[in-house]
Structure formats: C-alpha cells, structure tokens
Amino acid sequence: MEFFDRFAVPHPSPAIYASMVAISLTALAVIAGLTHFKKWGYLWREWLTTVDHKRIGIMYLISALLMLFRGGVDAIMLRAQLATPDAKLLDAQHYNEIFTTHGVVMILFMAMPFIMALMNFVVPLQIGARDVAFPRLNALSFWLFFMGAMLFNISFVVGGSPDAGWTSYFPLAGNDFSTSVGTNYYMIAIQIAGIGTLMTGINFMTTILKMRAPGMTMMKMPMFTWSSLVANLIIVFAFPVLTVALAMGTMDRLFGTNFFTTDNGGMDMLWANLFWVWGHPEVYILILPAFGIYSEIISTFARRNLYGYKSMVYSMVVIAAYSFLVWAHHFFTMGQGALTNSIFSITTMAIAVPTGVKIFNWLFTLYKGKIEFTTPMLYAILFIPLFTLGGVTGVMLAMSAADYQYHNTMFLVAHFHNVIIPGVVFAMLAGLTYYWPKMFGFMLNEKIGKWTAWLLSIGFILAFMPMYITGLDGQARRMYTYSESTGFGPLNMVSFIGAAIMGIGFILIVYNIYYSTRYASRDISADPWDARTLEWATHTPVPEYNFAAVPQADSIEPLWDAKKKGHVLFKDKFEKIHMPNNSGMPFIIGCIFFAWGFSFVFGLWVPLIITTIGIFVTMALRSFEKDHGHYISVEKIEETETKLRGAK
C-alpha cells in the first residue's frame, strides 16, 4: 500500500470525492457511447489522426470551452467563500488550491487554446493557404497542449492540486512549503503544454510569412493575421524563458538543486524575474489576437474599412517590443530600488499609448458607420468602455509609489480581470459567434447570444467593480476569509451575485449551442455576415483543400472589393492539389508525453526512463518515414465544388 499512498490526495474533501466519481462516470459514459454507436474508427480516422488545421482548430475550441467551465466553477467557489465574513465553505488549503488552479486553467488552458482555435481555423483561410506550413507539427502542438492540460487537471483527484498561486513563487513553491506533488504537476504540465505552444509559434510565423496568396503583401494582410503574426513572434521569444524556468524549478523540487532556494547560493527572486519575463508578454499573446478579432468584427458590422490600418499594425509591433520591457512592475513592492522602479514605471505607462491608439482606431471606424448590432458587434461595443477602464487602472498600478497601496489588494485582482475578461474572453466569444457558421454550417441564435453578452457584462460589473473599492479599503488578495468588523461583507456579496450572473451567462452559451444545433437553419450562404476578408470567400463547410483555386489578394479587403468593385478573386483554372496525409504519430507522442509527465510528477524513475526512450524512438521513426502526402485530382475538385455550390 505504501506505493499507492503517494497518489492519495493530501487534503481530501466531499467535493474532491464527488469529482472522482463524476470523472469516472463521465469517462465510462464516453467509452460506452463510442462503443455503442461504433464511432471508434470514425474518431481515430477523422479526429485523433487529423492534420487538417480546421479540425485542429475545432479541437482547440472544444478544449477551451471545457476549461472555461472548469475554471468558472473554481471562480464561483472562490467568490462564494468570500461572499460572507468568516465563511466555512473552503478552508485555507482548499482556497489556495482553487485560486492556483483557477489562474492556471483560465490563462494557459482556456484563453490560450481559445486563441489557438481561432488562429488555426481562420489564419490559413485569411491568407489563402491550403494548410499551415507544418501540418504534422500543428497536430503535435495540439496534442502536447491537450495532454499538458489533462495532466494538470487530474492533479485535483490524484496526488493533490498545486497550492502556491498561479505564479508559483519560490520559496513557497519549494519542497519546504509545498510538500505535496501539486507543484510538480504545475511544473511538468505547463512544460509539456508550453512546448506545444512554442511549436505553434514557429509554425504560424512560417505560415504567415511564406504561404500568403499572390498579391497579399505584408501591408495587405487582414488585421487578425497581423495580430496572430505579432503574437506568435512574442511566443517564440517568451516561451523559451518559461521552459528554462520550469526546468530549473523542477530540478529544485525533484533533484535538490538550489536555483530558487533562499540559501546555498539560490535566489528566489530569480524565479519572479524569469516568470514575469515570460508572464507579461503572455498577456499580450492573449490580447493582441483579441484585438485582431475585434478589428475584423467592427469593420464588418460598421460596413467600413478599418480606420488607420498602418497605425494599427505599427501599434501592435510597438506593443510587442514594449511587452518585454515592463515585467518588473509585477514586483514593485519587493525592494528593487527607486531607479529600477522608476524605469519600469515609465515603460509600463508608455505601453498604454499604442493601446490607446487602437481604441481611437475602432471608434473612428464606428464613426459614421452603418452599424449592425449583431451578437459579435455587441461584444465589441461593450468591450471598448470596459477594457478602457481596465487600462486606466493599469496606469494607476504603473505608478510604483502608488503600487505599494494597490499591489497586494483586491484592487489588482479587479484590474487584471477588468483587462482579461472584456479584452480576451469577450473577444473569444465574439469570434466564436462570428466564425461559428464557417466552422459548423449554421449560425448561433442571435437572441440568446445577445442575452448572454448583456448578462456577462452586467455580471462582470457587479463582480469586479466592488473589488476596486474593497481593495482601496485594504482587503488583501489571496486571503481566504475576513472578519465582519472589516465591513467588506456587503460588497463581497455583490461580487458573488455578479459572479453568479456571469455563471448564468456561460450556461446560456451551452444552451445556445444546444438550441442552435437542433433548430438553426442549415441553409446559409458561405458569407452570412457580408464580410470583407478571404475566409468568407470559400464554401461552407470548408473543403479539405480550402480553396479550389488560389485566390488573388490585390487589396486589404479582397472579398469586399470582389463583391463591390468587381475585382477577380480566382483567376486560375483548377489544378491537382497536394495535401498532407493524416498521421497517428502526433497523438501517440502526446500520449507518451502524458505518461512521461505523470512519471516525472511522482518520481517514478523506471516508467520515466521508458517513456523518455519512447519519445526519442517515435521521433526517430518519424525522421525515417517516407510520406509525401496525396493529391486531390481535378475531377475530384470539380465534383466537390459542384456539390458545395449546389448545397447553397
């Protein structure tokens, strides 16, 4: 039994036991369903082995939505615990575990895959490409992310969740203070997922730079493609820092090194610096593609070309550069000295300027536009004032002297969510609604979508505006309880009510998907929004090869110009198209990485050695594999095109 004791949860509770039962029953139901409906072969052929960027995007989307609800349940539990003074819903240990997992899940396993979902599905279509530059690497990137996310999530029921905060600062994350394997899960799971993300960065940079349609110069790329390029550039520079930091942290915990210890030559502040050298650019990896989504939506539904295209591009590049020059504002209160704090205070305030440029670009695009208030547009309109408020409070936090008052309070929590929820979550939901018909061939219900947008906005205001007040009054973040004498109770109850309203909004998203799947019309055009860019120039559903003929992109908005000015989009005759073959190797490597990570977490050295050998063997097998893909004949293309044209 001693061997099995290491897998036990160190701080069990009825909620954890219930989760164990729920996970087991869900897994059994999925297996039974696949077996009963004889879908194992379909699942393997069409999804587990796919290298199609569109299907990979949809798998990212499903993963992101699942993680959204996992992280959302954590958030509701946190707000319920703080809704009343001296509450007993969670004890200190469980509160620490839940706010740690909430942060990691929402940032790395919800927001990142949501962005990757839209990036995978949309970018190759926007630039007129058949697929990404490295299709198999793209599949491997997804499976590494997915296995990292699953490894992190099983910590809840096997071995215990991490409890040192989503930033996992040392020495709190060291063996002396985090005695369970929870922080091992943190180090290894994020490492595996991060390697996948780094591969994605390289892949999409190559795709955008080398695979654009004829005529599409850099300054004619759609804004979402530009934002994706800049975000992936940041990924390529920032994620290696996280990789190194996680490797050093893992060695400290499992092999007794002293990189981040407070004695024997270690330096705990080294972790804080490495983490935020990655962590602050990470914020812009999230927000820049969101800006790209908003740009596409605002331009489409204002029925105007985007105002100030060049200034939008330049401001994104400036933001990317500045994002690496502001990391130390995350620890103004840790004794760096006045000069250092002043420098980083100035750079932090300066980064607000190119961000402000974008706000004015969107406002000028709306000015005199023929605005159509669809659900995606409603999210975009609501985003502008809410995000601007978050930006203003960010400038307040950028003042290093004032930050001593704000930093370790709920004011900072309110600011961060004030930026991320309108800036990223609203953008992803807007993008989901906008691109849903292209992904699935029917539209989400507009009425339910608008109810969702308003509920999320109202719930957001109620949930986070009170935190600014309690933070300024001294309510500390990361504290699981407070006394009645503080007077924080009423405003925290308002926050809980707001979080509950947001929860209802997220439930409506699920209902909308269910309702629309059952009742929405499938008789929609390939361009149901009357959009402006190339992804709407192909059929719905999108064929394997994306475009039967390579499009000609002679302007910033080639589809709009084709519709309104008579520009010719497709000049070439059909030719046979080369496409990659499906492969099970990325999925197999992902599974081996999962077993490798699990072995590493628990120090199971024999399985670790075996899985490490397995990783290198699969890599070697791939290097010797001769797979030149396949060709789609002209006859098959003509047959597919005739069928798709006839369907609409």
Side-chain angles (χ1 to χ4, degrees):
M1 289 299 295
E2 290 183 3
F3 176 79
F4 292 100
D5 286 344
R6 69 170 71 189
F7 304 115
V9 177
H11 305 283
S13 71
I16 291 175
Y17 292 136
S19 298
M20 291 178 179
V21 173
I23 290 169
S24 300
L25 291 176
T26 302
L28 288 172
V30 170
I31 292 169
L34 289 170
T35 304
H36 176 74
F37 293 106
K38 298 179 181 179
K39 290 295 185 181
W40 285 106
Y42 168 80
L43 182 66
W44 176 258
R45 291 189 307 273
E46 301 297 328
W47 293 97
L48 299 184
T49 62
T50 187
V51 297
D52 186 336
H53 71 94
K54 300 178 289 296
R55 289 181 180 249
I56 291 171
I58 290 170
M59 290 194 292
Y60 269 118
L61 177 63
I62 294 168
S63 304
L65 289 172
L66 289 173
M67 292 299 101
L68 175 63
F69 285 92
R70 162 68 207 276
V73 170
D74 287 344
I76 294 292
M77 294 174 70
L78 295 176
R79 295 319 311 165
Q81 167 63 22
L82 293 175
T84 56
D86 301 311
K88 306 297 184 193
L89 177 65
L90 302 172
D91 61 27
Q93 177 62 29
H94 286 136
Y95 186 87
N96 288 345
E97 291 177 4
I98 288 170
F99 88 69
T100 298
T101 56
H102 169 71
V104 175
V105 165
M106 286 302 211
I107 295 294
L108 290 168
F109 299 134
M110 185 281 290
M112 285 294 286
F114 226 136
I115 286 164
M116 297 302 173
L118 296 177
M119 204 180 289
N120 264 276
F121 194 94
V122 175
V123 167
L125 295 174
Q126 278 201 334
I127 63 174
R130 304 281 188 212
D131 206 318
V132 295
F134 309 112
R136 281 203 188 182
L137 190 68
N138 197 29
L140 179 58
S141 298
F142 169 75
W143 288 115
L144 288 179
F145 150 76
F146 184 79
M147 295 303 174
M150 293 302 101
L151 183 65
F152 186 86
N153 275 275
I154 66 167
S155 66
F156 190 54
V157 294
V158 182
S161 295
D163 58 1
W166 91 274
T167 56
S168 203
Y169 282 151
F170 284 81
L172 185 61
N175 289 326
D176 291 339
F177 296 101
S178 295
T179 54
S180 75
V181 296
T183 302
N184 293 356
Y185 272 114
Y186 177 100
M187 297 289 169
I188 304 300
I190 296 176
Q191 185 75 280
I192 294 171
I195 293 170
T197 302
L198 181 58
M199 290 177 178
T200 297
I202 296 167
N203 203 346
F204 274 86
M205 281 184 63
T206 308
T207 301
I208 295 168
L209 292 174
K210 303 297 290 184
M211 297 181 68
R212 300 189 304 278
M216 186 178 285
T217 62
M218 293 287 284
M219 294 309 288
K220 290 180 182 176
M221 294 195 309
M223 197 51 62
F224 180 64
T225 298
W226 253 116
S227 66
S228 298
L229 175 62
V230 176
N232 283 292
L233 181 67
I234 298 174
I235 285 173
V236 169
F237 279 95
F239 264 81
V241 180
L242 179 67
T243 300
V244 171
L246 292 170
M248 294 163 72
T250 303
M251 287 191 282
D252 268 16
R253 288 188 57 84
L254 291 174
F255 303 116
T257 56
N258 291 283
F259 293 111
F260 306 127
T261 57
T262 54
D263 53 12
N264 295 323
M267 186 186 301
D268 55 332
M269 279 300 297
L270 178 60
W271 170 268
N273 277 276
L274 291 175
F275 181 89
W276 286 115
V277 165
W278 161 80
H280 200 85
E282 164 68 13
V283 175
Y284 293 99
I285 294 168
L286 300 178
I287 204 71
L288 287 175
F291 287 169
I293 289 290
Y294 283 131
S295 297
E296 302 291 350
I297 288 170
I298 288 172
S299 178
T300 295
F301 296 112
R303 306 302 174 196
R304 292 192 63 194
N305 61 309
L306 190 65
Y307 179 89
Y309 175 93
K310 289 184 178 180
S311 63
M312 290 285 276
V313 171
Y314 296 147
S315 63
M316 281 194 293
V317 174
V318 171
I319 287 171
Y322 268 135
S323 71
F324 288 93
L325 302 175
V326 299
W327 81 87
H329 71 222
H330 289 276
F331 38 92
F332 276 154
T333 60
M334 296 185 187
Q336 301 163 113
L339 178 61
T340 301
N341 281 357
S342 298
I343 291 170
F344 282 96
S345 181
I346 292 167
T347 56
T348 302
M349 285 186 273
I351 204 169
V353 175
T355 308
V357 167
K358 294 185 171 301
I359 299 291
F360 284 105
N361 284 137
W362 292 317
L363 290 174
F364 282 126
T365 304
L366 293 169
Y367 180 63
K368 290 187 178 179
K370 296 178 181 178
I371 299 172
E372 184 179 350
F373 281 98
T374 60
T375 299
M377 189 61 159
L378 182 58
Y379 277 114
I381 297 293
L382 290 167
F383 146 78
I384 293 175
L386 294 176
F387 179 81
T388 302
L389 178 62
V392 169
T393 56
V395 174
M396 293 172 66
L397 285 158
M399 295 182 286
S400 56
D403 189 65
Y404 276 80
Q405 169 69 24
Y406 307 138
H407 187 75
N408 283 313
T409 71
M410 297 301 286
F411 186 95
L412 187 143
V413 177
H415 156 72
F416 181 76
H417 288 83
N418 204 166
V419 172
I420 293 298
I421 291 177
V424 178
V425 178
F426 280 22
M428 296 304 105
L429 296 177
L432 172 69
T433 310
Y434 186 60
Y435 286 112
W436 187 274
K438 185 58 68 175
M439 290 180 176
F440 300 106
F442 61 93
M443 300 180 74
L444 292 175
N445 184 273
E446 278 287 287
K447 187 175 181 179
I448 301 173
K450 289 175 181 176
W451 268 103
T452 303
W454 281 113
L455 282 174
L456 289 177
S457 299
I458 293 166
F460 165 78
I461 291 168
L462 291 175
F464 294 102
M465 294 305 113
M467 293 186 198
Y468 284 120
I469 300 170
T470 61
L472 290 175
D473 283 344
Q475 184 181 5
R477 59 186 176 134
R478 305 192 181 111
M479 299 296 287
Y480 83 104
T481 191
Y482 55 92
S483 67
E484 188 173 357
S485 62
T486 59
F488 299 146
L491 286 173
N492 276 285
M493 178 56 75
V494 173
S495 286
F496 171 65
I497 293 169
I501 292 172
M502 292 188 73
I504 295 170
F506 288 122
I507 291 170
L508 271 184
I509 294 170
V510 177
Y511 177 69
N512 196 352
I513 292 171
Y514 162 77
Y515 179 88
S516 301
T517 301
R518 287 199 64 180
Y519 301 114
S521 171
R522 268 56 177 177
D523 186 20
I524 62 170
S525 71
D527 180 22
W529 303 115
D530 192 19
R532 311 172 82 86
T533 42
L534 277 179
E535 68 269 30
W536 302 100
T538 187
H539 301 289
T540 300
V542 184
E544 176 191 1
Y545 46 77
N546 292 350
F547 299 94
V550 177
Q552 184 74 25
D554 293 324
S555 67
I556 294 172
E557 299 175 325
L559 176 60
W560 187 257
D561 289 341
K563 290 188 292 188
K564 304 300 179 182
K565 300 178 183 179
H567 288 194
V568 178
L569 264 183
F570 301 102
K571 299 178 181 178
D572 298 334
K573 295 181 179 179
F574 294 164
E575 296 179 354
K576 65 179 181 178
I577 298 171
H578 179 262
M579 296 299 295
N581 290 326
N582 284 359
S583 172
M585 192 65 77
F587 175 71
I588 293 168
I589 294 175
C591 292
I592 296 172
F593 260 100
F594 180 89
W596 176 86
F598 188 85
S599 302
F600 221 147
V601 166
F602 287 96
L604 305 174
W605 305 118
V606 173
L608 180 68
I609 292 168
I610 294 171
T611 50
T612 302
I613 293 170
I615 291 168
F616 282 101
V617 167
T618 51
M619 291 168 63
L621 288 173
R622 169 58 182 148
S623 69
F624 287 106
E625 185 179 0
K626 293 183 179 179
D627 183 351
H628 301 297
H630 65 278
Y631 282 94
I632 302 173
S633 67
V634 173
E635 292 76 16
K636 182 66 175 176
I637 296 168
E638 289 175 343
E639 179 186 335
T640 303
E641 291 294 300
T642 301
K643 178 181 176 182
L644 290 173
R645 277 195 294 266
K648 304 300 175 198

